[in-house]
Amino acid sequence: MHEYSIAYDIYATAKRAAEDNFATKIKKVHVGVGELTMINPEQVIFLFETMCEEESLFKDCKIECTNIPVKSECECGYSGNERFVCPDCGKLPVVKEGMEILVTNIEIEVEDEDD
């Protein structure tokens, strides 16, 4: 179940970024999930939210997963979303996007310096 390790990495990344920026609260974490990652985003969301339950920095934090579609290229010049066989020449295209999991944005709150 690699969803757990992915959820933990997202949690740790958000926590580190918040601490580095002196955040008082993490409101939302945006994650891009490639079509070819073979993970279940719903499980990642559940596990992430479970990890956040006991951490005050993450109180009411939400996670939003968006799909990253496949983008591929072939040496013949083809560019598109074919994963297995180039429709122009029949060779194996190189997948350029769609295999990654990225934390794309972290929404935080910081304490006002005037307080």
Side-chain angles (χ1 to χ4, degrees), residues 26-81:
I26 300 171
K27 295 170 63 175
K28 193 173 205 179
V29 179
H30 300 264
V31 179
V33 179
E35 286 181 354
L36 298 178
T37 59
M38 305 296 280
I39 68 155
N40 182 335
E42 289 80 22
Q43 283 184 324
V44 172
I45 291 168
F46 172 77
L47 291 165
F48 176 84
E49 289 175 348
T50 301
M51 290 174 193
C52 295
E53 286 177 354
E54 301 297 320
E55 179 74 50
S56 61
L57 187 62
F58 286 89
K59 183 169 176 29
D60 300 321
C61 178
K62 300 295 179 197
I63 182 171
E64 180 178 292
C65 293
T66 56
N67 184 51
I68 299 174
V70 173
K71 291 185 183 173
S72 61
E73 296 176 358
C74 184
E75 62 186 39
C76 74
Y78 168 80
S79 181
N81 63 357

Side-chain angles (χ1 to χ4, degrees), residues 16-28:
R16 186 173 45 254
E19 290 171 346
D20 289 350
N21 290 284
F22 308 102
T24 56
K25 182 177 183 177
I26 300 171
K27 295 170 63 175
K28 193 173 205 179

Side-chain angles (χ1 to χ4, degrees), residues 69-83 85-97:
V70 173
K71 291 185 183 173
S72 61
E73 296 176 358
C74 184
E75 62 186 39
C76 74
Y78 168 80
S79 181
N81 63 357
E82 181 55 52
R83 304 162 192 194
V85 178
C86 174
D88 293 342
C89 72
K91 293 183 180 176
L92 181 66
V94 176
V95 175
K96 297 292 187 176
E97 293 181 28

